[in-house]
Amino acid sequence: MALSCFLALFAPYIAPYDPTAINVKAIFLPPCSKYWLGTDGLGRDVFSRLVYGARISLWVGFLSVGISVSIGVVLGLVAGYFGGLVDEFIMRFVDIMLCFPSFFLILAVIAFLEPSLVNIMIVIGLTSWMGVARLIRAETMSLKNREFVLAARLNGASTARILFWHILPNGLSPVLVSATLGVASAILLESGLSFLGIGVQPPTPSWGNMLMEGKDVLEVAPWLSIFPGLMILITVLGYNLLGEALRDILDPRHNK
Amino acid sequence: MKIFYKFFFKILSLVITFLGITVVSFWVIHLAPGSPTDLQTTLNPKASTEVRERLNKIYGLDKPLSVQYINWLKRIIHFDFGYSLSGDHRPVWDKIKERLPLTLALNLISMFFIFILAIPLGILSAVYADSWFDKLTTIFVFIGFSVPGFWLALLLMLWLGIYCPIFPISGLTSLNFSELSFWGKLWDLANHLALPVMVFTFTGLAGLSRYMRSSMLEVLGQDFILLARAKGLPYKIVILKHALKNALLPVITILGLSVPGLIGGSVIIESIFALPGLGQLFYQAVMARDYPIILGNLVLGAILTLVGNLLADLGYFLADPRIRK
């Protein structure tokens, strides 16, 4: 995980070649000392493309989780704090959204919009906020009758201030866990979409579309498929393990 | 009487959820820029404004959105999803119907394997918590959880399909399928489904086995287990009879919850292995912007999930006598 962040941040300094530079003299070269991880069908350096691909993946991961957490937090706070009909309405909506296989929903929306990096981030964000909303709602419900919230209200704090200033910080730790796991699944989703050709569009290198380009030449140039997948696996595994570790630290019930 | 009320509210909430699903799906189609008649009007220089209006009238597009929604809802209740926009112009429901069995079979078989692997793994991890076995399985299932399914599929194709050709790498049947005997046919199908099922099983293992582990750990910490041990019952019996029964309960819910993931996952896997299932149909429809098919699949996918959850609830209801009271 640290590796992928490092690669993404310093991509221009690490990559030995331009990730989109075409070199007809060096097509389908297996890994060698000049091209560490080989070259693809247009003579582009696989290692450089992987390094730049890290940027795309992390970008998608963080921004889409940012979107989903924002939506989830607001709806969860409102549902938990006000209760009653508002709560019933929001939670019904959560149930409905949970019924759609998320991959179906994302594909359907993408089919109607243009596939682009921004659209993908928005769509992944819009279809994955339900878990966070449920978590925050539960936290809010247990926190809203505590003394410190009452004290804030007696001091004349506005509802918004109570929600975001007093309740939210106290209920944030499970969200942190779910956000970390969310980054992992967003990266996985993006790579899946790009692999199907409806995600990040070439020539922008993303791990998913590198795999798509590599799949047809699997037999002659397996390195085109092996390395991008390995990067996805390592990165996603990193975030999942981090999420699990955070849960062990932050959730006292889970500790036992 | 109480059961009756519960049942009534369950049905009511199902109906509301179903209506919600249709509203969201209907909204998704209206994300599409332009109107469905554009192809015949705007793109056709001969078509006048009058023609467009007439077409809009024929398709009911001149009515307010709410009326359009009600009309559409009336049709889909009768499984009438309209006609495919692709070359064959067949009814959407017919196209879906012929592909549904394969996807269902694929998912059910995978679920079966996930179940028989994940449950023992979860139990053993919980019983020997923090041992090397526990740590190893944790890493193993986490890799399965993190690996991109399509990449795993490619690697398996390369390894078991090309380097040591044990399994066929694409399609559902061999060329000589029609000449085979019944058992030969079954064997052929099993061979073709082996790789996809492997991918599904490995990537789906984590959720259930981790859940089983934590559920088991919780049960093992309870007093009645201590009592059973204190009575002098052998550890094996305590685990397999007393603890397992209770730990399995919450797992039923997880099975229901895993339905959307499996259905969604079939899009990529079926496309890679060229299996003519629902996922492949959906993918082709997305690529061809075949809106009626996309919509039909979306609604159906959600309904299947709804049914999965309902079955899980029902299973829970039957398995846990405490709820029935």
Side-chain angles (χ1 to χ4, degrees):
Chain A
M1 193 191 77
L3 174 81
S4 68
C5 282
F6 177 74
L7 288 181
L9 278 177
F10 299 103
Y13 306 103
I14 302 169
Y17 302 94
D18 180 350
T20 52
I22 293 169
N23 182 357
V24 238
K25 285 186 201 145
I27 298 176
F28 289 137
L29 286 180
C32 59
S33 58
K34 195 168 169 219
Y35 301 100
W36 292 349
L37 300 180
T39 61
D40 67 6
L42 295 170
R44 295 174 298 193
D45 179 40
V46 172
F47 180 65
S48 306
R49 289 172 67 70
L50 275 185
V51 171
Y52 274 89
R55 284 189 160 182
I56 302 286
S57 293
L58 292 189
W59 211 206
V60 171
F62 283 113
L63 275 185
S64 53
V65 165
I67 296 173
S68 70
V69 167
S70 319
I71 301 175
V73 160
V74 172
L75 288 181
L77 279 175
V78 170
Y81 191 75
F82 294 107
L85 264 183
V86 182
D87 179 37
E88 188 62 31
F89 185 78
I90 293 178
M91 284 302 118
R92 244 326 121 220
F93 188 50
V94 167
D95 285 348
I96 290 165
M97 290 298 288
L98 279 175
C99 265
F100 287 102
S102 60
F103 208 73
F104 267 32
L105 198 57
I106 291 171
L107 276 177
V109 176
I110 293 284
F112 294 114
L113 303 169
E114 280 304 299
S116 75
L117 192 55
V118 180
N119 280 344
I120 285 168
M121 292 190 290
I122 295 176
V123 173
I124 294 180
L126 285 181
T127 49
S128 52
W129 51 268
M130 291 82 76
V132 176
R134 278 190 167 173
L135 282 175
I136 284 282
R137 171 179 174 263
E139 290 287 324
T140 311
M141 280 176 32
S142 73
L143 288 171
K144 73 176 173 188
N145 292 326
R146 297 267 287 274
E147 285 85 356
F148 70 92
V149 177
L150 189 68
R153 202 180 299 149
L154 287 176
N155 275 329
S158 68
T159 309
R161 193 178 158 84
I162 292 176
L163 285 181
F164 288 99
W165 196 256
H166 297 282
I167 293 184
L168 184 58
N170 286 297
L172 216 50
S173 55
V175 175
L176 197 65
V177 174
S178 132
T180 316
L181 300 175
V183 172
S185 77
I187 292 176
L188 216 50
L189 267 176
E190 179 274 326
S191 70
L193 288 171
S194 299
F195 176 75
L196 289 177
I198 35 189
V200 177
Q201 298 298 306
T204 311
S206 104
W207 295 337
N209 71 28
M210 290 174 74
L211 277 167
M212 172 189 70
E213 287 166 2
K215 128 189 107 155
D216 296 327
V217 286
L218 190 61
E219 251 176 289
V220 270
W223 60 90
L224 290 183
S225 299
I226 290 172
F227 296 120
L230 213 53
M231 281 305 293
I232 301 174
L233 172 61
I234 293 170
T235 311
V236 173
L237 189 62
Y239 280 98
N240 278 333
L241 290 176
L242 179 72
E244 196 75 358
L246 278 176
R247 176 181 318 197
D248 286 346
I249 298 165
L250 296 174
D251 187 354
R253 272 172 306 165
H254 212 80
N255 250 343
K256 281 175 209 158
Chain B
M1 206 54 199
K2 219 172 165 191
I3 289 183
F4 177 75
Y5 276 126
K6 255 186 186 162
F7 186 70
F8 176 74
F9 279 115
K10 187 80 213 165
I11 297 288
L12 189 71
S13 82
L14 269 182
V15 171
I16 294 174
T17 314
F18 172 75
L19 285 177
I21 288 168
T22 59
V23 171
V24 173
S25 310
F26 190 71
W27 177 74
V28 167
I29 359 169
H30 283 86
L31 279 178
S35 100
T37 52
D38 276 359
L39 208 63
Q40 289 143 298
T41 54
T42 318
L43 301 175
N44 183 351
K46 283 184 202 153
S48 64
T49 327
E50 284 158 39
V51 174
R52 179 185 306 195
E53 269 165 17
R54 202 165 62 225
L55 268 176
N56 279 348
K57 203 160 199 167
I58 294 173
Y59 290 120
L61 295 171
D62 54 338
K63 303 205 177 71
L65 218 54
S66 53
V67 178
Q68 283 187 43
Y69 168 71
I70 300 287
N71 286 338
W72 175 74
L73 191 63
K74 271 186 204 152
R75 281 192 285 123
I76 66 160
I77 288 176
H78 299 112
F79 295 105
D80 175 9
F81 291 98
Y83 293 86
S84 165
L85 296 179
S86 69
D88 54 11
H89 287 295
R90 291 173 51 210
V92 170
W93 179 238
D94 285 2
K95 284 185 110 165
I96 289 179
K97 222 167 28 183
E98 67 192 23
R99 282 161 178 267
L100 191 59
L102 174 60
T103 301
L104 281 184
L106 195 58
N107 283 327
L108 286 177
I109 296 171
S110 310
M111 235 161 165
F112 171 75
F113 279 109
I114 291 174
F115 199 81
I116 60 167
L117 282 175
I119 298 294
L121 273 183
I123 295 173
L124 288 174
S125 293
V127 172
Y128 302 107
D130 296 319
S131 66
W132 61 266
F133 174 82
D134 182 28
K135 284 179 182 133
L136 226 73
T137 40
T138 303
I139 295 174
F140 179 73
V141 297
F142 262 90
I143 289 179
F145 188 51
S146 308
V147 74
F150 53 93
W151 181 63
L152 184 67
L154 288 177
L155 290 189
L156 283 177
M157 280 161 103
L158 198 63
W159 176 37
L160 295 175
I162 297 171
Y163 290 154
C164 19
I166 302 174
F167 296 112
I169 56 172
S170 83
L172 182 60
T173 52
S174 303
L175 289 173
N176 59 348
F177 186 70
S178 53
E179 298 154 23
L180 294 171
S181 65
F182 174 74
W183 293 109
K185 277 183 181 169
L186 213 59
W187 178 243
D188 191 47
L189 279 175
N191 262 322
H192 279 86
L193 287 180
L195 288 182
V197 167
M198 268 187 225
V199 175
F200 266 133
T201 309
F202 184 50
T203 51
L205 213 50
L208 194 61
S209 72
R210 293 303 286 176
Y211 205 81
M212 189 65 217
R213 179 179 181 272
S214 64
S215 170
M216 195 73 184
L217 273 178
E218 210 179 303
V219 172
L220 283 180
Q222 281 175 16
D223 290 344
F224 73 91
I225 296 293
L226 195 67
L227 175 72
R229 292 281 290 141
K231 259 194 329 192
L233 285 177
Y235 199 42
K236 237 185 195 160
I237 293 189
V238 174
I239 300 283
L240 290 179
K241 279 188 88 173
H242 299 234
L244 184 59
K245 256 192 197 165
N246 288 284
L248 267 177
L249 275 177
V251 170
I252 299 175
T253 329
I254 281 287
L255 273 180
L257 286 176
S258 63
V259 173
L262 283 170
I263 297 177
S266 55
V267 174
I268 294 188
I269 299 303
E270 284 175 11
S271 305
I272 292 183
F273 289 106
L275 294 172
L278 211 57
Q280 195 198 36
L281 178 73
F282 192 72
Y283 173 61
Q284 287 163 352
V286 166
M287 295 313 272
R289 306 279 190 272
D290 191 343
Y291 300 140
I293 299 256
I294 296 177
L295 195 61
N297 263 314
L298 197 58
V299 174
L300 188 76
I303 291 175
L304 281 181
T305 311
L306 208 57
V307 172
N309 288 344
L310 187 67
L311 286 180
D313 279 354
L314 199 68
Y316 207 94
F317 181 77
L318 291 177
D320 191 350
R322 280 169 303 185
I323 306 182
R324 267 178 282 173
K325 275 177 199 150

